[in-house]
C-alpha cells in the first residue's frame, strides 16, 4: 500500500485532550491555531480554501456521557451537525485526499466483565447514551459521503484514553482527585462493566500510522469492486 503524504492538515478539536497530543506529534513546529466552531460552514470552507487543506483529522466532539444525558441536543448539534458541515465542505471544495473520522468503541454498547477484549468491526452498533448515539449517527454520515461522493474516509473506534493534560471530569483524573480528598468513588450500575484504556502518546502514534498507511473506505470499496469485475 502506498504511503499517504499530506501537505496541509486540519485537525479539529486540537485544543482537546487526544487531538492536542496528536497535533504535538505531527505538526507542533508549524502549527497554526484557529479558534472557531465546526458548525460554521463559512469558517470551515474558508479554512479549507485559504489554507489549501488536503487532509482532515476530525477529533472535535462533545464526549462526556453524563453531560449527554443532561443536554443531549448539544451533542446532536456538535457531533452530528458539526460532522455534516465538515463533510459537505469536503464535497464542495473537492480537495480532500483523506478524511479521518475519530469515533469511539462506545458505539458498540456496554462491555461486560467476561467479554473478549476488542470488538469486531462488523458488530451491530448498540449505543446506550446520547453521546455514543450521536457518534454512531456521525459515522453513518461519514460512510455515506464515502459511498455517495467518493470521499476517502477512515473511521476509527478507539477506546478510553488517559494521560497528561486530561480534563479532570474524566474517570482516571476524577478518581485520583476524589481519592486525594478522601471522597467516595462513584460508579455506574453494579460495577460489572469494564473499560479498556490506552495511553495518550500510544494513541497519537497510532493516528500517525493511520494518517500515512490507513486504507480509506472509498479506496477499499473501489479495489473490492475491481476485484469483482475481474472475476
Amino acid at each position: 500500500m502506498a504511503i499517504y503524504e499530506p501537505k496541509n492538515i486540519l485537525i479539529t478539536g486540537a485544543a482537546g485532550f487526544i487531538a492536542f497530543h496528536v497535533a504535538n506529534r505531527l505538526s507542533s513546529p508549524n502549527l497554526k491555531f484557529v479558534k472557531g466552531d465546526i458548525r460554521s460552514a463559512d469558517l470551515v470552507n474558508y479554512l479549507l480554501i485559504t489554507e489549501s487543506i488536503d487532509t482532515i483529522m476530525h477529533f472535535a466532539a462533545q464526549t462526556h456521557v453524563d453531560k449527554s444525558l443532561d443536554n443531549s441536543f448539544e451533542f446532536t448539534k456538535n457531533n452530528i451537525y458539526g460532522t455534516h458541515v465538515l463533510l459537505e465542505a469536503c464535497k464542495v471544495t473537492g480537495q480532500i485526499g483523506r478524511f479521518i473520522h475519530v469515533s469511539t468503541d462506545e458505539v458498540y454498547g456496554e462491555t461486560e466483565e467476561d467479554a473478549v477484549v476488542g470488538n469486531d468491526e462488523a458488530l451491530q452498533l448498540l449505543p446506550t447514551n446520547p453521546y455514543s448515539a450521536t457518534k454512531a449517527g456521525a459515522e453513518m454520515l461519514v460512510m455515506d459521503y464515502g459511498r455517495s461522493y467518493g470521499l476517502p474516509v477512515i473511521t476509527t473506534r478507539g477506546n478510553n484514553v488517559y494521560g497528561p493534560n486530561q480534563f479532570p471530569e474524566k474517570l482516571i483524573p476524577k478518581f485520583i482527585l476524589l481519592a486525594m480528598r478522601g471522597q467516595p468513588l462513584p460508579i455506574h450500575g453494579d460495577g460489572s462493566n469494564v473499560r479498556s484504556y490506552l495511553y495518550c502518546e500510544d494513541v497519537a502514534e497510532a493516528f500517525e500510522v493511520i494518517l500515512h498507511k490507513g486504507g480509506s473506505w472509498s479506496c477499499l470499496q473501489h479495489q473490492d469492486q475491481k476485484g469483482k469485475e475481474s472475476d
Side-chain angles (χ1 to χ4, degrees):
M1 180 179 290
I3 303 298
Y4 179 76
E5 295 293 348
K7 294 180 180 178
N8 297 302
I9 307 171
L10 173 62
I11 302 177
T12 69
F17 173 52
I18 299 175
F20 166 80
H21 288 281
V22 173
N24 277 345
R25 182 178 182 89
L26 295 179
S27 60
S28 53
N30 57 344
L31 178 68
K32 178 187 289 188
F33 179 74
V34 177
K35 182 179 180 180
D37 190 334
I38 60 170
R39 296 173 296 182
S40 170
D42 289 341
L43 173 62
V44 172
N45 280 279
Y46 172 80
L47 289 175
L48 295 191
I49 295 170
T50 59
E51 300 294 337
S52 301
I53 301 295
D54 65 351
T55 304
I56 293 178
M57 302 181 78
H58 178 33
F59 290 87
Q62 294 274 5
T63 64
H64 198 279
V65 173
D66 289 345
K67 289 184 177 179
S68 77
L69 296 170
D70 294 332
N71 191 359
S72 59
F73 280 114
E74 280 303 306
F75 283 69
T76 300
K77 293 174 185 176
N78 285 280
N79 297 352
I80 295 181
Y81 180 71
T83 300
H84 202 166
V85 169
L86 281 174
L87 291 167
E88 187 65 15
C90 293
K91 186 192 78 172
V92 170
T93 58
Q95 64 193 46
I96 301 301
R98 179 152 294 188
F99 185 103
I100 299 175
H101 175 65
V102 183
S103 190
T104 171
D105 66 345
E106 292 194 40
V107 297
Y108 295 116
E110 300 289 356
T111 301
E112 299 301 325
E113 188 174 7
D114 57 352
V116 177
V117 176
N119 294 293
D120 188 284
E121 291 182 6
L123 282 178
Q124 182 181 3
L125 305 188
L126 296 170
T128 58
N129 52 68
Y131 159 61
S132 55
T134 57
K135 293 298 285 186
E139 280 194 28
M140 298 302 103
L141 282 170
V142 172
M143 185 182 298
D144 175 64
Y145 271 73
R147 181 189 296 273
S148 297
Y149 305 109
L151 184 66
V153 297
I154 298 173
T155 294
T156 68
R157 292 174 181 162
N159 57 9
N160 296 283
V161 181
Y162 73 98
N165 302 308
Q166 189 169 23
F167 290 110
E169 65 187 13
K170 297 297 184 176
L171 188 139
I172 289 181
K174 180 178 181 178
F175 273 26
I176 290 173
L177 291 172
L178 289 173
M180 290 172 64
R181 298 168 186 153
Q183 297 176 341
L185 308 181
I187 60 171
H188 290 288
D190 59 6
S192 63
N193 295 326
V194 297
R195 291 188 180 186
S196 300
Y197 283 87
L198 292 170
Y199 185 60
C200 58
E201 296 298 337
D202 295 330
V203 174
E205 181 181 358
F207 274 109
E208 184 175 27
V209 173
I210 292 167
L211 173 64
H212 295 294
K213 298 181 180 180
S216 64
W217 190 85
S218 63
C219 174
L220 293 176
Q221 288 292 106
H222 179 66
Q223 291 174 353
D224 182 58
Q225 184 63 35
K226 287 178 63 179
K228 292 179 180 178
E229 292 172 352
S230 63
D231 290 342

